[in-house]
Amino acid sequence: MHFDTEGFYSWTASDDDGRGSCGITSELERASVRLRQALESLAPGASGAVQFVRLDRYASDPSYIYGVTLLRLHREKAIAAAD
């Protein structure tokens, strides 16, 4: 298990109906897994991303500074099986 003491990983997933979920974790692999799980629970066409984030130490309220996008995923529309 590796922890990046300088940053974290944010994952966000959403669909066209406005449903979705998001989170922050200290591990890139965990963020990727959570993103895939979130997309599986959403409608076809949903998309999501994992971004590197840092804690904004100068903000008066806890907040993050979002950096580079590390992963983008898109859930394809289901294809009907032929009988």
Side-chain angles (χ1 to χ4, degrees):
M1 185 179 312
H2 174 262
F3 294 101
D4 185 335
T5 58
E6 294 298 315
F8 302 94
Y9 302 94
S10 165
W11 59 271
T12 305
S14 61
D15 64 18
D16 292 336
D17 294 329
R19 294 182 343 138
S21 56
C22 61
I24 299 280
T25 181
S26 60
E27 297 177 45
L28 177 56
E29 183 176 341
R30 184 175 294 180
S32 300
V33 168
R34 297 262 167 90
L35 173 58
R36 286 184 191 101
Q37 290 171 339
L39 288 174
E40 289 173 2
S41 72
L42 296 172
S47 62
V50 172
Q51 281 185 276
F52 183 75
V53 297
R54 292 182 185 274
L55 187 60
D56 185 348
R57 298 171 197 254
Y58 300 105
S60 57
D61 290 323
S63 63
Y64 293 101
I65 299 169
Y66 289 80
V68 64
T69 298
L70 302 169
L71 173 67
R72 287 186 196 277
L73 295 177
H74 181 81
R75 181 170 178 199
E76 296 294 323
K77 296 191 183 298
I79 298 173
D83 289 327

